[in-house]
Amino acid sequence: MFAFFAQQPATEVAVRAVGANMGRECSLRENRRMPSTARVSIQTEDFDLGAEIAALRAQDARVGAVCSFVGTVRDHHPDVAGQVTALELEHYPGMTERAIEAMVDEAFARFPLYGARVVHRVGPLAPTDQIVLVAVTSAHRGASFQACEFLMDYLKTQAPFWKKEQTPEGGRWVDARVSDDAALARWGIAARNA
Amino acid sequence: MKLSIRYFASIREGLGLGQESMQTEAATVGALRDELLARGGAYAELLARGRAVRVAVDQQMQDESAALHEGAEVAFFPPVTGG
């Protein structure tokens, strides 16, 4: 029996049930947002983690957990002689956005999320620069931790980005890692990249 | 049929070419790859079967059995390394 029913704004539908006897909330089917380009940004500009999270939470009182991951440019790859002085990010315009939108849809299907945001930078970057942001909101921490990791594992192996490191010895395309495929396989997705 | 072929990252760089239009009778991605390999030179080297080459058709990851159609956009690229 529903003790609580919430009709959310037009872009999302949430149905939540409260077990009255237990005094404990459980989710039947939480939020599914309609696809929107606002969930995904591919940009040369830097991003502000605080501002991104503030926008994602946006006065949504259902949110009890926010989890985010920020990837940064390392100054040295163990396999490369010398220092990495710069990193160039190439991508496949059009496919990149579609692939990440599909990943976010998959995250919403798997986890009870309220919001998700992915920002990936392209173009020239320097060591210590921020390169990628994944942020998700949910009612409880478990879903947000898991969805954040799921999205990053998916993104590392299925989104069409390529990194080229510049060192004093010249440029070098970064190799895909088998361990990234293994990370995605943990979620029951056997998609070979490396 | 006419296809739009796109190349990315090390394959784009090695070919010195980001995209091209191509007239072909290849019915599948595999047949198209064979046709490109037969050109020899950088194509034979960069698209060689022993190399890790990923393919997208109409911006969706596919394998070599994927069917082609008039106007399809086919992309060849190395394994992805984002994040």
Side-chain angles (χ1 to χ4, degrees), chain B residues 40-56:
Chain B
Y43 286 93
E45 183 194 335
L46 294 160
L47 299 177
R49 282 262 152 51
R51 290 177 78 119
V53 175
R54 302 289 165 252
V55 188

PDB file of all heavy atoms in Angstrom, chain B residues 40-56:
ATOM      1  N   GLY B  40      46.401  -1.497 -49.854  1.00  0.00           N
ATOM      2  CA  GLY B  40      47.816  -1.578 -49.498  1.00  0.00           C
ATOM      3  C   GLY B  40      48.295  -0.353 -48.741  1.00  0.00           C
ATOM      4  O   GLY B  40      47.491   0.445 -48.237  1.00  0.00           O
ATOM      5  N   GLY B  41      49.624  -0.213 -48.646  1.00  0.00           N
ATOM      6  CA  GLY B  41      50.223   0.950 -47.996  1.00  0.00           C
ATOM      7  C   GLY B  41      49.754   1.143 -46.568  1.00  0.00           C
ATOM      8  O   GLY B  41      49.648   0.184 -45.797  1.00  0.00           O
ATOM      9  N   ALA B  42      49.476   2.398 -46.209  1.00  0.00           N
ATOM     10  CA  ALA B  42      49.085   2.726 -44.835  1.00  0.00           C
ATOM     11  C   ALA B  42      47.769   2.044 -44.456  1.00  0.00           C
ATOM     12  O   ALA B  42      47.575   1.668 -43.297  1.00  0.00           O
ATOM     13  CB  ALA B  42      48.960   4.238 -44.683  1.00  0.00           C
ATOM     14  N   TYR B  43      46.858   1.870 -45.435  1.00  0.00           N
ATOM     15  CA  TYR B  43      45.589   1.188 -45.133  1.00  0.00           C
ATOM     16  C   TYR B  43      45.852  -0.242 -44.669  1.00  0.00           C
ATOM     17  O   TYR B  43      45.287  -0.701 -43.676  1.00  0.00           O
ATOM     18  CB  TYR B  43      44.683   1.159 -46.374  1.00  0.00           C
ATOM     19  CG  TYR B  43      44.047   2.486 -46.700  1.00  0.00           C
ATOM     20  CD1 TYR B  43      44.648   3.369 -47.582  1.00  0.00           C
ATOM     21  CD2 TYR B  43      42.839   2.845 -46.108  1.00  0.00           C
ATOM     22  CE1 TYR B  43      44.071   4.587 -47.882  1.00  0.00           C
ATOM     23  CE2 TYR B  43      42.247   4.077 -46.404  1.00  0.00           C
ATOM     24  CZ  TYR B  43      42.869   4.941 -47.284  1.00  0.00           C
ATOM     25  OH  TYR B  43      42.287   6.146 -47.568  1.00  0.00           O
ATOM     26  N   ALA B  44      46.740  -0.959 -45.415  1.00  0.00           N
ATOM     27  CA  ALA B  44      47.037  -2.351 -45.075  1.00  0.00           C
ATOM     28  C   ALA B  44      47.698  -2.447 -43.707  1.00  0.00           C
ATOM     29  O   ALA B  44      47.440  -3.375 -42.938  1.00  0.00           O
ATOM     30  CB  ALA B  44      47.935  -2.967 -46.148  1.00  0.00           C
ATOM     31  N   GLU B  45      48.500  -1.460 -43.409  1.00  0.00           N
ATOM     32  CA  GLU B  45      49.217  -1.489 -42.126  1.00  0.00           C
ATOM     33  C   GLU B  45      48.281  -1.144 -40.963  1.00  0.00           C
ATOM     34  O   GLU B  45      48.195  -1.860 -39.973  1.00  0.00           O
ATOM     35  CB  GLU B  45      50.374  -0.480 -42.174  1.00  0.00           C
ATOM     36  CG  GLU B  45      51.235  -0.474 -40.927  1.00  0.00           C
ATOM     37  CD  GLU B  45      52.141   0.757 -40.884  1.00  0.00           C
ATOM     38  OE1 GLU B  45      52.449   1.300 -41.963  1.00  0.00           O
ATOM     39  OE2 GLU B  45      52.503   1.177 -39.776  1.00  0.00           O
ATOM     40  N   LEU B  46      47.539  -0.046 -41.097  1.00  0.00           N
ATOM     41  CA  LEU B  46      46.756   0.468 -39.970  1.00  0.00           C
ATOM     42  C   LEU B  46      45.471  -0.312 -39.707  1.00  0.00           C
ATOM     43  O   LEU B  46      44.976  -0.345 -38.585  1.00  0.00           O
ATOM     44  CB  LEU B  46      46.416   1.941 -40.216  1.00  0.00           C
ATOM     45  CG  LEU B  46      47.636   2.857 -40.217  1.00  0.00           C
ATOM     46  CD1 LEU B  46      47.332   4.168 -40.938  1.00  0.00           C
ATOM     47  CD2 LEU B  46      48.078   3.136 -38.784  1.00  0.00           C
ATOM     48  N   LEU B  47      44.920  -0.936 -40.753  1.00  0.00           N
ATOM     49  CA  LEU B  47      43.669  -1.697 -40.586  1.00  0.00           C
ATOM     50  C   LEU B  47      43.918  -3.203 -40.573  1.00  0.00           C
ATOM     51  O   LEU B  47      42.976  -3.993 -40.630  1.00  0.00           O
ATOM     52  CB  LEU B  47      42.679  -1.334 -41.702  1.00  0.00           C
ATOM     53  CG  LEU B  47      42.257   0.138 -41.767  1.00  0.00           C
ATOM     54  CD1 LEU B  47      41.337   0.390 -42.962  1.00  0.00           C
ATOM     55  CD2 LEU B  47      41.565   0.567 -40.470  1.00  0.00           C
ATOM     56  N   ALA B  48      45.197  -3.601 -40.499  1.00  0.00           N
ATOM     57  CA  ALA B  48      45.555  -5.030 -40.519  1.00  0.00           C
ATOM     58  C   ALA B  48      44.751  -5.811 -39.483  1.00  0.00           C
ATOM     59  O   ALA B  48      44.467  -5.299 -38.390  1.00  0.00           O
ATOM     60  CB  ALA B  48      47.049  -5.193 -40.267  1.00  0.00           C
ATOM     61  N   ARG B  49      44.398  -7.041 -39.837  1.00  0.00           N
ATOM     62  CA  ARG B  49      43.544  -7.856 -38.965  1.00  0.00           C
ATOM     63  C   ARG B  49      44.179  -8.152 -37.607  1.00  0.00           C
ATOM     64  O   ARG B  49      43.496  -8.384 -36.639  1.00  0.00           O
ATOM     65  CB  ARG B  49      43.166  -9.142 -39.697  1.00  0.00           C
ATOM     66  CG  ARG B  49      42.055  -8.893 -40.713  1.00  0.00           C
ATOM     67  CD  ARG B  49      40.718  -9.274 -40.110  1.00  0.00           C
ATOM     68  NE  ARG B  49      39.571  -8.524 -40.668  1.00  0.00           N
ATOM     69  CZ  ARG B  49      39.273  -8.374 -41.946  1.00  0.00           C
ATOM     70  NH1 ARG B  49      40.031  -8.903 -42.869  1.00  0.00           N
ATOM     71  NH2 ARG B  49      38.224  -7.690 -42.316  1.00  0.00           N
ATOM     72  N   GLY B  50      45.503  -8.142 -37.555  1.00  0.00           N
ATOM     73  CA  GLY B  50      46.157  -8.407 -36.273  1.00  0.00           C
ATOM     74  C   GLY B  50      46.077  -7.230 -35.307  1.00  0.00           C
ATOM     75  O   GLY B  50      46.353  -7.370 -34.119  1.00  0.00           O
ATOM     76  N   ARG B  51      45.694  -6.081 -35.822  1.00  0.00           N
ATOM     77  CA  ARG B  51      45.658  -4.886 -34.970  1.00  0.00           C
ATOM     78  C   ARG B  51      44.283  -4.691 -34.336  1.00  0.00           C
ATOM     79  O   ARG B  51      43.278  -5.107 -34.887  1.00  0.00           O
ATOM     80  CB  ARG B  51      45.985  -3.640 -35.803  1.00  0.00           C
ATOM     81  CG  ARG B  51      47.430  -3.586 -36.250  1.00  0.00           C
ATOM     82  CD  ARG B  51      47.640  -2.381 -37.111  1.00  0.00           C
ATOM     83  NE  ARG B  51      47.758  -1.167 -36.317  1.00  0.00           N
ATOM     84  CZ  ARG B  51      48.850  -0.404 -36.323  1.00  0.00           C
ATOM     85  NH1 ARG B  51      49.881  -0.736 -37.057  1.00  0.00           N
ATOM     86  NH2 ARG B  51      48.895   0.685 -35.601  1.00  0.00           N
ATOM     87  N   ALA B  52      44.312  -4.035 -33.170  1.00  0.00           N
ATOM     88  CA  ALA B  52      43.048  -3.730 -32.494  1.00  0.00           C
ATOM     89  C   ALA B  52      42.418  -2.533 -33.201  1.00  0.00           C
ATOM     90  O   ALA B  52      42.897  -1.411 -33.078  1.00  0.00           O
ATOM     91  CB  ALA B  52      43.290  -3.421 -31.030  1.00  0.00           C
ATOM     92  N   VAL B  53      41.382  -2.811 -33.984  1.00  0.00           N
ATOM     93  CA  VAL B  53      40.654  -1.757 -34.687  1.00  0.00           C
ATOM     94  C   VAL B  53      39.185  -1.877 -34.295  1.00  0.00           C
ATOM     95  O   VAL B  53      38.602  -2.954 -34.379  1.00  0.00           O
ATOM     96  CB  VAL B  53      40.804  -1.899 -36.218  1.00  0.00           C
ATOM     97  CG1 VAL B  53      39.944  -0.862 -36.941  1.00  0.00           C
ATOM     98  CG2 VAL B  53      42.260  -1.750 -36.636  1.00  0.00           C
ATOM     99  N   ARG B  54      38.612  -0.788 -33.833  1.00  0.00           N
ATOM    100  CA  ARG B  54      37.198  -0.785 -33.468  1.00  0.00           C
ATOM    101  C   ARG B  54      36.419  -0.083 -34.576  1.00  0.00           C
ATOM    102  O   ARG B  54      36.955   0.789 -35.270  1.00  0.00           O
ATOM    103  CB  ARG B  54      36.982  -0.076 -32.132  1.00  0.00           C
ATOM    104  CG  ARG B  54      37.770  -0.707 -30.984  1.00  0.00           C
ATOM    105  CD  ARG B  54      37.212  -2.061 -30.567  1.00  0.00           C
ATOM    106  NE  ARG B  54      38.156  -2.800 -29.744  1.00  0.00           N
ATOM    107  CZ  ARG B  54      38.818  -3.879 -30.179  1.00  0.00           C
ATOM    108  NH1 ARG B  54      38.647  -4.318 -31.410  1.00  0.00           N
ATOM    109  NH2 ARG B  54      39.647  -4.514 -29.385  1.00  0.00           N
ATOM    110  N   VAL B  55      35.147  -0.463 -34.711  1.00  0.00           N
ATOM    111  CA  VAL B  55      34.329   0.065 -35.800  1.00  0.00           C
ATOM    112  C   VAL B  55      32.991   0.562 -35.265  1.00  0.00           C
ATOM    113  O   VAL B  55      32.392  -0.052 -34.381  1.00  0.00           O
ATOM    114  CB  VAL B  55      34.035  -1.037 -36.848  1.00  0.00           C
ATOM    115  CG1 VAL B  55      33.359  -0.420 -38.068  1.00  0.00           C
ATOM    116  CG2 VAL B  55      35.302  -1.757 -37.259  1.00  0.00           C
ATOM    117  N   ALA B  56      32.545   1.676 -35.803  1.00  0.00           N
ATOM    118  CA  ALA B  56      31.191   2.140 -35.512  1.00  0.00           C
ATOM    119  C   ALA B  56      30.461   2.327 -36.839  1.00  0.00           C
ATOM    120  O   ALA B  56      31.054   2.765 -37.825  1.00  0.00           O
ATOM    121  CB  ALA B  56      31.231   3.461 -34.752  1.00  0.00           C
TER     122      ALA B  56
END
